[in-house]
Amino acid sequence: MKKLYFFILGLFIGLTGFAQNADGFNYQAIVRDANGNVNANVSMNMKISILQESVDGAVVFTETHAVTTNAFGLVSLSIGSQNPNSFALIDWANAPYFIRININGVEFGTSQLVSVPYALHAKTAENYNETDPFFYSSPLMNVTQSDIDNWANKLDEFTELDPEFLASIAKGISETDIAYWNSKLDEFTETDPIFSASSAKRITAANITNWDNKLGEFTETDPVFLASIAEKITAANIEDWDSKLGEFTELDPEFSASPAGKITNTNIANWDSKLDRFTETDPEFSVSAAKKIEDVDIARWNNLEDGSVLSLSDDDNDTKIQVEEDEKDEDIIRFDMAGTEHFRMNSGRLEVANTGNSIFIGEGAGASDDFKNRRNVAIGDSALYSNTTGNNNTVLGYEAGKEALGLGNIFLGHQAGKDATGDNKLYIDNSDTTAPLIYGDLAADSLHINGHLKVLETI
């Protein structure tokens, strides 16, 4: 990254030439750093823009090339090849035109297109001839497409004229000689008369293979060996010995009559794998809780040490049930969810923790509460569901206070105060009516009965 930063800051562009093609013109530049050194084998995004009339004129064409410099820092591209439709719309008769170069988002100047690109105007001026005396007197006049191809191909067409080289032994080295050298004399023919007369001359590739295989082709002719028991040992006998009686048949009548005679390899494999093939058929076991005990449960139980914490947890250990978290004989069961303790059972009490002193019981109850010391109590599915910042609310019942957002409210009953607004209100009813059977304004110390009130005794 350091090199790229230096390259962008210190880039120089050397224009080496233009050449026409059917739908654009070729552009070449040598990329150098601030010290004048070429930037070889560097990838970049080169944006080409053509402007009309002046260096600040209207942009009539733009395209971007993803290019890589060669070993000499040279980059070559064909302007018009990336956006041919737009390039074809340029009216070269309406000169002057200017070219702007931008590399990797950095602008490197704008210069006028003097003559070469206007050769494209030949579509409307078939007999155009170059009249620029500077072009005719420059070396570029003699640059051909062949010269450009040879340069790009790194002297592929070069002919050596150095008399020293032509007179040296190196001149006679051919591609075949190089191939022989790289393949380690694969085509070499020995002509040494001493070697030809020696025993070594008769050593073949087969002899070398036999030697490497430890006399694989050897025929024993020793009469002592031929008369011994060893002569009858075969490769099969050796293999049987190496596999420890793999082909042995037991003939002992005592063994055959014993229970051991019926032990098979399958029985041994089952024993080694601790009854992995055993199927439990006990009806008592099948209906008991023990049937659900898995190997992972046994492993966790076996890994517990005396006095250690007993815990049931998920894979990442942030949701769990713990017994004896802090010390031995703590007698507290704790329930953690996503790394936070929310419930504990302590001395017959179910305590709620880390909820901002709020208690929510029921699916969706207090679902929007931010647990920031709101002191809300909601019991029932979706009770106080939408409340986010209201404090000191007490609701009981399915969807009681579901959409209420106030504070200090008391809602009792099925959907009581479901859509209530305001603070410090009392709703007692079994519906979401706005005129509950009992309505109170706690702030005003007022109570309303929306129905009949029967008093059986006087006070």
Side-chain angles (χ1 to χ4, degrees):
M1 191 68 191
K2 180 179 180 182
K3 292 178 65 178
L4 181 59
Y5 176 72
F6 176 78
F7 164 75
I8 293 175
L9 285 182
L11 191 69
F12 290 93
I13 296 177
L15 181 63
T16 62
F18 286 102
Q20 297 101 304
N21 61 33
D23 298 307
F25 55 92
N26 293 331
Y27 175 86
Q28 292 186 315
I30 295 178
V31 182
R32 301 178 183 273
D33 62 20
N35 296 320
N37 301 314
V38 297
N39 276 278
N41 304 315
V42 175
S43 297
M44 63 187 71
N45 289 321
M46 181 176 288
K47 180 180 179 182
I48 307 296
S49 301
I50 296 179
L51 297 78
Q52 189 176 16
E53 295 187 352
S54 70
V55 294
D56 297 317
V59 177
V60 298
F61 171 80
T62 182
E63 68 180 7
T64 300
H65 295 256
V67 296
T68 302
T69 63
N70 67 11
F72 304 104
L74 180 69
V75 60
S76 301
L77 55 92
S78 177
I79 297 176
S81 63
Q82 303 299 308
N83 191 0
N85 293 335
S86 179
F87 188 85
L89 297 177
I90 300 175
D91 185 357
W92 296 103
N94 292 328
Y97 286 93
F98 297 78
I99 185 169
R100 176 178 295 162
I101 307 299
N102 183 297
I103 300 178
N104 290 345
V106 179
E107 186 174 322
F108 289 93
T110 304
S111 58
Q112 184 174 358
L113 294 174
V114 179
S115 62
V116 178
Y118 301 126
L120 295 170
H121 187 51
K123 294 178 180 179
T124 57
E126 298 292 343
N127 297 317
Y128 175 78
N129 294 313
E130 177 61 66
T131 59
D132 184 352
F134 289 100
F135 177 79
Y136 280 113
S137 61
S138 73
L140 290 175
M141 171 66 182
N142 298 317
V143 175
T144 65
Q145 186 62 45
S146 177
D147 297 326
I148 296 173
D149 293 340
N150 289 341
W151 175 265
N153 293 330
K154 300 182 178 62
L155 305 178
D156 287 349
E157 301 295 326
F158 176 74
T159 301
E160 178 61 67
L161 300 177
D162 183 353
E164 296 290 333
F165 176 82
L166 297 175
S168 71
I169 298 174
K171 179 180 183 299
I173 297 176
S174 65
E175 292 291 340
T176 302
D177 298 326
I178 296 172
Y180 286 165
W181 177 266
N182 290 336
S183 57
K184 298 180 177 61
L185 305 178
D186 288 344
E187 300 295 324
F188 176 75
T189 300
E190 179 60 66
T191 58
D192 184 352
I194 297 177
F195 176 83
S196 299
S198 70
S199 301
K201 180 179 185 298
R202 296 176 181 82
I203 296 176
T204 65
N207 300 140
I208 296 172
T209 300
N210 290 342
W211 178 266
D212 290 339
N213 291 335
K214 297 181 176 63
L215 306 179
E217 300 294 324
F218 176 75
T219 300
E220 180 61 67
T221 58
D222 183 353
V224 177
F225 176 81
L226 296 175
S228 71
I229 299 174
E231 197 268 337
K232 298 179 176 63
I233 297 176
T234 66
N237 300 139
I238 297 171
E239 185 177 349
D240 289 346
W241 176 265
D242 289 340
S243 57
K244 297 181 178 62
L245 306 178
E247 301 294 325
F248 176 75
T249 301
E250 179 62 67
L251 301 176
D252 184 353
E254 296 291 333
F255 177 82
S256 299
S258 71
K262 298 180 177 63
I263 296 176
T264 65
N265 288 332
T266 302
N267 301 139
I268 296 171
N270 288 343
W271 177 265
D272 290 341
S273 56
K274 297 181 178 62
L275 303 179
D276 286 349
R277 298 182 181 277
F278 176 76
T279 301
E280 178 61 70
T281 58
D282 183 353
E284 296 293 333
F285 177 82
S286 298
V287 299
S288 70
K291 183 176 185 297
K292 298 181 176 65
I293 296 176
E294 300 179 351
D295 289 342
V296 65
D297 301 319
I298 297 172
R300 288 175 177 171
W301 180 266
N302 290 338
N303 288 333
L304 291 175
E305 299 178 359
D306 291 341
S308 62
V309 176
L310 178 61
S311 173
L312 298 177
S313 65
D314 61 1
D315 288 342
D316 59 2
N317 200 39
D318 65 349
T319 298
K320 55 190 173 183
I321 302 174
Q322 302 180 88
V323 179
E324 315 288 6
E325 178 189 50
D326 297 324
E327 58 186 30
K328 294 181 180 180
D329 202 27
E330 183 185 41
D331 295 331
I332 296 177
I333 301 176
R334 303 171 186 273
F335 299 81
D336 293 6
M337 276 76 77
T340 301
E341 181 180 314
H342 282 303
F343 297 97
R344 65 176 70 97
M345 296 183 68
N346 184 10
S347 300
R349 299 188 304 274
L350 177 60
E351 301 172 350
V352 179
N354 299 310
T355 61
N357 295 311
S358 295
I359 297 175
F360 302 109
I361 301 176
E363 182 177 356
S368 302
D369 194 279
D370 57 9
F371 290 169
K372 293 183 178 179
N373 201 30
R374 302 301 175 192
R375 301 176 297 281
N376 293 310
V377 176
I379 300 175
D381 284 5
S382 299
L384 217 60
Y385 178 89
S386 298
N387 184 74
T388 55
T389 59
N391 302 326
N392 305 317
N393 294 292
T394 302
V395 303
L396 173 63
Y398 173 79
E399 292 190 348
K402 179 178 180 180
E403 305 296 337
L405 303 177
L407 55 86
N409 295 306
I410 300 174
F411 305 131
L412 305 177
H414 176 89
Q415 294 187 331
K418 176 181 177 181
D419 300 303
T421 59
D423 305 325
N424 299 305
K425 298 298 187 290
L426 169 66
Y427 282 60
I428 300 178
D429 204 301
N430 260 346
S431 70
D432 61 354
T433 179
T434 57
L437 178 64
I438 299 177
Y439 170 81
D441 187 334
L442 303 178
D445 291 332
S446 65
L447 183 69
H448 301 270
I449 306 297
N450 293 312
H452 301 287
L453 177 64
K454 183 176 182 181
V455 179
L456 299 179
E457 296 183 5
T458 59
I459 300 177

